[in-house]
Amino acid sequence: MKNILKSTLALLSVLVAFTSCDNASKSNNSGALSSSAAEKVYVAPGEHDEFYAFISGGFSGQLSVYGLPSGRLFKVIPVFSQDAEKAYGYNEETKPMLNTSHGFVPWDDAHHPDISQTNGVVDGRWVFINGNNTPRIAKIDLSTFETTEIIEVPNSAGNHSSSFVTENSEYVVAGTRFSVPIPQKDMPIKDYKGNFKGSLSFISIDPEHGHMDIKFQLIMPGFDYDLSHPGRGKSHGWFFFTTYNTEEASTLMEVNASQNDKDFIAAVNWKKIEDYVNNGGGTMMPANYAHNVYDEATHSATSTMKKEVRIVNPLDVPGAVYFLPTPKSPHGCDVDPSGEYIVGNGKLSANLTVHSFTKMLDAIENNKVAGDAYGIPILNFEDVLAGVVEQPGLGPLHTEFDGKGNAYTTFFISSEVVKWKLGTWDVVDRQPCYYSVGHLMIPGGNSQKPFGKYVVAMNKITKDRYLPTGPEVTQSAQLYDISGEKMELLLDFPTIGEPHYAAGCPADLIKPRSKKLFKLEDNKHPYAALSEADTKVVRDGKIVHVYMTTIRSHFAPDNIEGVKVGDKVYFHVTNLEQDYDVPHGVSIIGANTSELLIMPGQTETFLWEPKQVGVWPFYCTDFCSALHQEMQGYVRVSPANSNTPLKWSLGEDIE
Ligand code: K7E
Ligand code: CUA
């Protein structure tokens, strides 16, 4: 595979040099940068970037926050993976966020962030992202930049055609990549064909609080549902999914799933199914999936296991699902800002296929059906085709739009972004990527109103682009100015994990709503100590609860005695600060968790199980003031059978 890739790349470097000689003339040893590129990405010290970019971490399981055009990294938001930096998944408050039907799963593979929308425009309230491996959808609140909800998706495997949001954030959609037995059961793998199924889940979003709930799952033929995008404007109410492996192979997929000349884009009229469901349609099926919700008032998450899910058989809702033939193992499934064009990027196809929503409706109306797959009507390729972009490059993956009538498609094999015109299908520009680009992102790209000033290309390979770091090198993002007729490469910046996709929006949508602290008076954590007078240590059998506070520059209490080997000691630490940007941290020797990083007004808890007799220090882990190094304390640990009385104090010697 590597060799094939290598020889293809070698071949293509010739081809790229050939097809983009005007880039070559501009390029020098450090890349194709014009002299004004540095100015265009320079954001002076103290100044703010124009856009936020939320870039998925792929196998890191997280979501990183960058500024554009500078490419500066602001935060890594922990989503599906434990994060020692923020105590996420280590402290007692956030551990329930990572609960699933498979138990505590502290990792996932996060691919596609998408920002909530109002009236077809990104609104900067929430960003959603999928966990592929143990199917989950997470919601991040953009007033706190914290993950506040995760819902597991039952009847799914490889939750990849996710998590895309409809134009009024009615639904966040999650489609399965791998088809599986539904319900799961013990059966021979060779009986895949006709027996395995794919599920497309429509998860409703509460308009005010954003709470997620699986409204229904559409149970589809056993194909691989790769990517998806909502209709918008005229096609609002529809959702489009690319499929591959319509061969329904279960082994040697690189050959067996590449047989059919055309696979499908599945067009789903979700409004129609929603009506059906609202009138009692569908059936409740037993299921077992976690719904984890973080409550900002208690600063704590709870995990609830849900026991059933509504499933819908597409054959029970005539007119709701159609297949649009699309060459050839399409990956990306992208809808232009007007909602008219649906672009299917056939990974193995020489051309880009663009379907027309109007023609699709016309074909449906006139009942022009070419056949069916498991009873789902297949429309004629020619009847729905809007146009073809002829031979734009090799290995097309994803397309975004600038809102000015142009589309931009990434080509993995020929390592380039190609700009073409909607309607005429003419290629108007191409720029090389370094190297092997996957997704690309224009802020607001999945909406009626893209902010077409920059495109970010996310690359899989970077060898020789940066200082080497041993065998494993960073992946990267590349920023292009797309405000002119020609794209211009401005900047390379390294990313966290594998950047599969990103979502961007103007900073002004998020900045004014960003919280500075949590109000102490709103703190409803059951173990909060809201003043130093409330601090205490309470023993309940072998469990010890420490109600502790922090303020510059001490803990209360800072001396504790009477803890014994074999105890379970819960440190519940409330940060009494009420100023912006004054966190405190805390950790103690031998703790099996991480430190806590506690924001002003917040309470967090970690468990310490002392295993050795002695006097053990704890200290603040965040440099909070000039006297940060003095912010420390001791816990005396006595033998399990000792009678050392429980005592705690601050500023006095324990007698
Ligand atoms: Cu990496 Cu969207 Cu998961 Cu294409 S996907 S590259
Ligand atoms: Cu508190 Cu350092």
Side-chain angles (χ1 to χ4, degrees):
M1 188 63 200
K2 261 233 147 111
N3 284 335
I4 298 173
L5 187 68
K6 254 192 208 155
S7 47
T8 328
L9 282 173
L11 191 118
L12 278 156
S13 56
V14 178
L15 198 124
V16 168
F18 196 70
T19 52
S20 50
C21 40
D22 56 350
N23 305 328
S25 66
K26 258 195 269 172
S27 60
N28 55 38
N29 287 340
S30 59
L33 285 188
S34 77
S35 58
S36 64
E39 267 168 47
K40 288 185 177 167
V41 299
Y42 183 70
V43 178
E47 302 274 295
H48 289 179
D49 280 279
E50 187 179 351
F51 294 96
Y52 280 101
F54 300 91
I55 302 186
S56 73
F59 43 68
S60 88
Q62 318 292 50
L63 181 66
S64 7
V65 187
Y66 292 82
L68 298 181
S70 73
R72 297 182 297 189
L73 172 66
F74 302 139
K75 183 174 184 178
V76 176
I77 302 172
V79 183
F80 296 114
S81 298
Q82 282 178 306
D83 181 351
E85 181 189 337
K86 300 172 187 72
Y88 181 84
Y90 288 102
N91 64 25
E92 295 301 307
E93 287 76 11
T94 55
K95 272 198 229 165
M97 293 300 284
L98 302 178
N99 188 42
T100 74
S101 64
H102 303 268
F104 181 73
V105 179
W107 172 84
D108 217 307
D109 182 16
H111 280 217
H112 306 121
D114 201 19
I115 296 171
S116 54
Q117 296 182 33
T118 304
N119 298 324
V121 181
V122 290
D123 61 19
R125 294 205 289 167
W126 306 296
V127 55
F128 298 85
I129 189 166
N130 57 324
N132 271 303
N133 185 57
T134 305
R136 289 175 275 182
I137 300 289
K139 181 186 73 197
I140 291 108
D141 184 330
L142 291 180
S143 70
T144 57
F145 284 62
E146 285 180 1
T147 304
T148 55
E149 193 172 355
I150 293 181
I151 192 163
E152 192 179 357
V153 185
N155 297 328
S156 177
N159 172 37
H160 194 257
S161 36
S162 321
S163 50
F164 301 104
V165 179
T166 55
E167 73 175 29
N168 282 300
S169 305
E170 295 95 338
Y171 293 99
V172 54
V173 170
T176 198
R177 173 169 156 213
F178 309 117
S179 282
V180 289
I182 296 179
Q184 274 291 5
K185 63 177 175 197
D186 177 12
M187 65 176 281
I189 299 168
K190 69 170 178 45
D191 296 342
Y192 176 120
K193 195 165 186 158
N195 291 313
F196 284 29
K197 297 275 180 261
S199 67
L200 307 177
S201 305
F202 286 74
I203 301 168
S204 59
I205 303 168
D206 173 83
E208 202 178 329
H209 304 288
H211 286 307
M212 296 186 287
D213 190 21
I214 300 179
K215 176 98 170 173
F216 61 89
Q217 290 191 311
L218 195 59
I219 306 299
M220 298 283 287
F223 310 150
D224 287 44
Y225 295 84
D226 201 15
L227 276 156
S228 67
H229 267 99
R232 58 184 114 259
K234 63 167 79 166
S235 53
H236 179 56
W238 289 78
F239 222 99
F240 303 94
F241 298 83
T242 43
T243 68
Y244 66 100
N245 192 28
T246 50
E247 297 84 352
E248 295 180 77
S250 61
T251 183
L252 200 60
M253 304 290 284
E254 60 179 354
V255 177
N256 293 332
S258 307
Q259 299 299 308
N260 289 348
D261 186 43
K262 296 194 177 64
D263 296 280
F264 301 125
I265 284 178
V268 174
N269 186 336
W270 59 259
K271 273 253 162 90
K272 198 165 206 152
I273 303 173
E274 180 185 67
D275 283 348
Y276 170 75
V277 164
N278 285 343
N279 289 309
T283 36
M284 297 310 289
M285 172 184 171
N288 187 35
Y289 57 103
H291 185 204
N292 310 328
V293 179
Y294 184 84
D295 178 348
E296 202 178 291
T298 60
H299 301 284
S300 302
T302 49
S303 178
T304 312
M305 294 310 295
K306 297 209 151 193
K307 294 297 176 192
E308 53 179 16
V309 68
R310 183 178 300 274
I311 58 167
V312 172
N313 177 346
L315 302 188
D316 291 342
V317 196
V321 184
Y322 295 89
F323 285 132
L324 319 183
T326 306
K328 215 190 137 145
S329 298
H331 185 56
C333 183
D334 300 295
V335 179
D336 88 302
S338 75
E340 168 62 11
Y341 298 121
I342 305 127
V343 184
N345 298 333
K347 298 188 292 283
L348 309 174
S349 164
N351 301 327
L352 282 184
T353 304
V354 186
H355 294 305
S356 155
F357 178 72
T358 310
K359 289 176 108 178
M360 181 192 91
L361 285 189
D362 186 67
I364 292 170
E365 202 153 302
N366 294 301
N367 205 20
K368 293 192 197 161
V369 170
D372 75 281
Y374 296 99
I376 295 172
I378 302 171
L379 303 176
N380 273 306
F381 177 66
E382 293 74 18
D383 287 342
V384 295
L385 188 70
V388 167
V389 186
E390 301 276 355
Q391 312 230 333
L394 293 179
L397 290 182
H398 299 282
T399 299
E400 296 256 311
F401 308 90
D402 63 5
K404 300 171 209 156
N406 301 301
Y408 300 74
T409 300
T410 52
F411 291 85
F412 177 80
I413 300 175
S414 50
S415 278
E416 55 187 335
V417 177
V418 173
K419 175 180 178 181
W420 50 277
K421 280 219 171 322
L422 288 162
T424 71
W425 325 119
D426 292 329
V427 170
V428 290
D429 191 24
R430 59 177 70 240
Q431 285 291 326
C433 297
Y434 306 99
Y435 309 94
S436 298
V437 59
H439 275 272
L440 74 176
M441 182 276 282
I442 292 173
N446 172 37
S447 77
Q448 287 189 35
K449 191 184 166 196
F451 300 86
K453 187 168 179 186
Y454 302 109
V455 65
V456 179
M458 286 155 269
N459 306 328
K460 310 294 187 191
I461 296 174
T462 55
K463 59 183 164 204
D464 301 333
R465 294 293 289 177
Y466 298 108
L467 285 176
T469 51
E472 188 196 343
V473 294
T474 185
Q475 302 197 16
S476 86
Q478 288 188 304
L479 183 77
Y480 298 80
D481 180 341
I482 54 166
S483 57
E485 197 48 31
K486 296 272 170 200
M487 293 179 270
E488 186 190 357
L489 176 60
L490 300 178
L491 183 71
D492 258 38
F493 56 94
T495 57
I496 309 280
E498 179 176 352
H500 278 272
Y501 189 37
C505 88
D508 290 344
L509 285 177
I510 292 178
K511 246 161 76 169
R513 301 177 51 250
S514 192
K515 282 223 164 98
K516 292 196 157 55
L517 49 84
F518 300 102
K519 286 195 190 135
L520 258 187
E521 70 234 44
D522 297 339
N523 184 325
K524 299 282 182 301
H525 191 292
Y527 291 98
L530 298 181
S531 72
E532 288 190 1
D534 298 329
T535 58
K536 60 189 171 185
V537 181
V538 177
R539 175 180 284 285
D540 175 10
K542 283 192 162 311
I543 293 176
V544 176
H545 291 285
V546 178
Y547 295 70
M548 184 178 265
T549 60
T550 61
I551 196 149
R552 281 161 289 181
S553 296
H554 59 264
F555 294 98
D558 67 358
N559 281 197
I560 299 170
E561 296 196 352
V563 169
K564 299 175 205 171
V565 169
D567 282 346
K568 281 180 184 297
V569 185
Y570 289 94
F571 285 83
H572 308 286
V573 187
T574 304
N575 184 354
L576 299 179
E577 306 281 355
Q578 291 286 273
D579 287 335
Y580 187 27
D581 200 15
V582 192
H584 293 283
V586 61
S587 75
I588 190 163
I589 190 168
N592 301 118
T593 58
S594 70
E595 52 115 40
L596 297 179
L597 185 66
I598 313 147
M599 294 302 127
Q602 200 176 27
T603 304
E604 292 190 1
T605 301
F606 73 97
L607 169 63
W608 182 52
E609 298 177 83
K611 297 182 184 68
Q612 296 176 30
V613 166
V615 179
W616 303 110
F618 58 91
Y619 69 98
C620 177
T621 51
D622 185 277
F623 208 106
C624 51
S625 72
L627 294 171
H628 156 78
Q629 286 298 84
E630 282 70 20
M631 194 163 172
Q632 62 181 62
Y634 285 103
V635 178
R636 173 181 168 188
V637 177
S638 303
N641 58 3
S642 79
N643 294 318
T644 315
L646 198 61
K647 285 184 183 170
W648 63 95
S649 65
L650 168 71
E652 61 190 68
D653 291 333
I654 298 179
E655 280 309 321

